[in-house]
Amino acid sequence: MVPRPVRIALAVQPQHSDYPTIRRVVGEAEDLGVDMICVWDHFFPLFGTDDGWEAGRNFEAWSLLAAWAEQTSRVELAPLVSPVGFRNPDLLADMARTVDHISGGRLVLGLGGGWFERDYAEYGYPFGTAGARLGELEAAVPRIKARWSALNPPPLRDIPVLIGGGGEQRTLRLVARHADIWHCIGTPELLARKQQVLDDWCRVEGRDPSTIERSTHGGAPTSRHVPSWERSPDPYGPQLLELGFTRFTIRSGGPDFDLGPVREWVAWRDEVNRDRPVERSGP
C-alpha cells in the first residue's frame, strides 16, 4: 500500500490576541505551506499571561472557521476538536456543511467529548461525568452523518470526521466505527499502545485499520502549557512517522504567535514526502 503523505497542521490558539493579528497569522501559515489550520473550541483561554488566564481574550471557534474559509484558498480547516455538548448535533452538522461550502470543500470535522469544565459552567451546558459526555459523542456522530445526507445542498465532499482521544474501551471503538482521522497526544510508546488497541477495535468492527489516518501533535509532550517539544521534528517526528502517524499538529497561541517551528516541520514534511512514494488523494 502506498503510504499517506505527511501533512502539517497549525493549531491556532485564539487567546490573548485581537482578530487582525489572528487573521494575519492564518494568512502567513497558508503562505508557509501548512496543509491544515485548526482552532480549539473553547470559550475561554486555557493558558495564562502575566494578567492571568481568567481575564484573557478569546474568540469562538466556528465563527473563526467561517471567516478563515473566506480568507484562505488551499488549506483544510478544522476545529480541534468541537465538544458535541456545546451544540445540537444536527445544528453542528449544518454549520460544518455551511463552512464546507464557504471553503470550497476544505472542512474536516473534529469531534470530541469535551473536558474543560469552565466552558460548560459559564455557558450553561451540563458538564456531567466523563462517561456521560462520551455517551453524547457516541450518539452525536450518527446524527451528524444522517443530517448531512438530508441537507440541501449537501456538503461538497464526504466531510472527513476526526475524532480525538485515546480511551481504550469506548473512544477508540468509536474511532474504528466512524472516524476518517484519529487524533491522539502522547509519547511514541503511549501512541504505539493506543494504536494497537485501535487496530484491534477495527477488526471487531470489520474495518481496515489502514483506512484511518493517524494524527498527533508534533512531538512527545513534556509540558501541557509550554509546547517547546513541538519546536523541531527531531527526534519525535521520525519516530511517530515510523509508527504510521502522518498528520502532525503544531500549536501557536497569542499574544505572540510564533511560526518558527511551523517552518521547520513544513521543511521536514517536504523532505519526507520527496524521499518516498506517497498517496496524493484522500482525506
Side-chain angles (χ1 to χ4, degrees):
M1 178 178 178
V2 179
R4 296 176 186 271
V6 171
R7 300 181 184 184
I8 302 300
L10 170 67
V12 175
Q13 300 169 332
Q15 59 176 6
H16 311 307
S17 188
D18 54 36
Y19 184 70
T21 300
I22 293 171
R23 189 181 193 282
R24 173 183 57 78
V25 167
V26 168
E28 290 179 1
E30 184 170 50
D31 291 343
L32 283 174
V34 301
D35 301 286
M36 182 163 70
I37 299 177
C38 311
V39 64
W40 71 25
D41 194 356
H42 293 289
F43 304 132
F44 302 95
L46 297 186
F47 313 138
T49 65
D50 292 340
D51 297 328
W53 63 266
E54 295 89 346
R57 299 175 176 182
N58 193 66
F59 291 98
E60 192 276 326
W62 280 94
S63 303
L64 292 175
L65 288 170
W68 298 348
E70 282 282 3
Q71 175 188 348
T72 60
S73 61
R74 179 187 55 78
V75 293
E76 289 186 312
L77 301 167
L80 194 67
V81 291
S82 276
V84 296
F86 291 173
R87 302 167 188 89
N88 174 286
D90 293 86
L91 172 62
L92 182 57
D94 203 345
M95 294 166 63
R97 180 279 308 251
T98 300
V99 173
D100 187 59
H101 274 262
I102 296 171
S103 69
R106 293 182 284 122
L107 184 80
V108 172
L109 179 58
L111 299 173
W115 62 272
F116 189 39
E117 187 170 4
R118 187 187 181 199
D119 286 334
Y120 291 80
E122 294 208 25
Y123 276 58
Y125 299 118
F127 187 62
T129 65
R133 294 193 301 277
L134 188 55
E136 288 184 325
L137 177 60
E138 291 172 335
V141 179
R143 282 183 60 182
I144 289 168
K145 291 187 174 184
R147 179 55 56 187
W148 282 337
S149 298
L151 288 170
N152 185 16
L156 291 176
R157 65 170 176 170
D158 290 333
I159 295 176
V161 172
L162 177 154
I163 294 178
E168 296 182 5
Q169 295 304 310
R170 296 177 68 181
T171 302
L172 292 180
R173 185 167 194 174
L174 187 66
V175 171
R177 189 175 295 162
H178 292 297
D180 302 288
I181 305 165
W182 167 53
H183 185 84
C184 191
I185 305 170
T187 63
E189 294 76 18
L190 176 66
L191 291 174
R193 191 184 84 233
K194 299 291 185 183
Q195 181 163 245
Q196 183 58 58
V197 174
L198 174 58
D199 291 349
D200 291 342
W201 278 124
C202 284
R203 284 185 279 273
V204 171
E205 294 290 332
R207 178 90 181 268
D208 179 355
S210 69
T211 62
I212 301 174
E213 191 169 4
R214 316 300 165 105
S215 169
T216 187
H217 280 7
T222 57
S223 168
R224 182 173 181 176
H225 294 260
V226 183
S228 59
W229 46 272
E230 292 173 359
R231 180 155 296 280
S232 168
D234 295 324
Y236 296 109
Q239 293 181 36
L240 294 166
L241 181 63
E242 183 67 23
L243 288 175
F245 286 81
T246 54
R247 282 187 185 251
F248 299 91
T249 299
I250 314 304
R251 298 175 294 180
S252 186
D256 300 316
F257 293 91
D258 180 7
L259 297 186
V262 176
R263 292 182 177 88
E264 293 196 30
W265 281 91
V266 167
W268 175 73
R269 175 205 66 191
D270 292 345
E271 180 181 349
V272 170
N273 288 344
R274 183 173 58 249
D275 291 343
R276 65 178 189 153
V278 293
E279 171 188 329
R280 296 301 177 184
S281 62

